[in-house]
Amino acid sequence: MKRVTFYHAGCPVCVNAEQEFLNLVDATKVQVDIVHLGEQKDKISSAENAGVRSVPALVLDNGNVLHINHGATLEEVKS
C-alpha cells in the first residue's frame, strides 16, 4: 500500500484541497496521513525536511512534493 502525507494549515484553501483529494483517493490502495500544521506545529520541521515550502502540499511515498494551490507559506504557518 502506498503512503502519502497531506500537509495543510487549516485555511479554507487547504481544507477544500484536503476534501477534494480524499474524495479522489482509493483508501484500499493509498494510506493518507493528514497533518494540520496549524495545530501540529511540532511537525513543521519534518514538513520542511520533506521539501514542503507552502501548504496545502502532498508528499508522495517516493519523496516527490506536490504543492497544491497556495494557502500559506511555511513561514506564515510558523508565525
Side-chain angles (χ1 to χ4, degrees):
M1 177 177 283
K2 291 184 180 245
R3 185 175 187 153
V4 300
T5 304
F6 188 90
Y7 290 97
H8 72 88
C11 67
V13 170
C14 294
V15 172
N16 182 57
E18 174 189 348
Q19 292 307 310
E20 292 293 335
F21 177 71
L22 290 175
N23 288 334
L24 294 172
V25 173
D26 182 346
T28 65
K29 295 180 180 177
V30 180
Q31 178 182 338
V32 180
D33 296 321
I34 305 294
V35 179
H36 186 311
L37 294 174
E39 296 174 350
Q40 299 171 278
K41 293 201 181 266
D42 60 313
K43 305 277 184 174
I44 291 174
S45 62
S46 63
E48 288 176 317
N49 290 339
V52 174
R53 299 292 170 245
S54 65
V55 290
L58 181 67
V59 178
L60 305 179
D61 62 349
N62 64 5
N64 286 340
V65 180
L66 305 177
H67 291 94
I68 305 164
N69 207 331
H70 181 77
T73 66
L74 285 189
E75 291 303 317
E76 292 170 321
V77 174
K78 288 178 187 179
S79 55

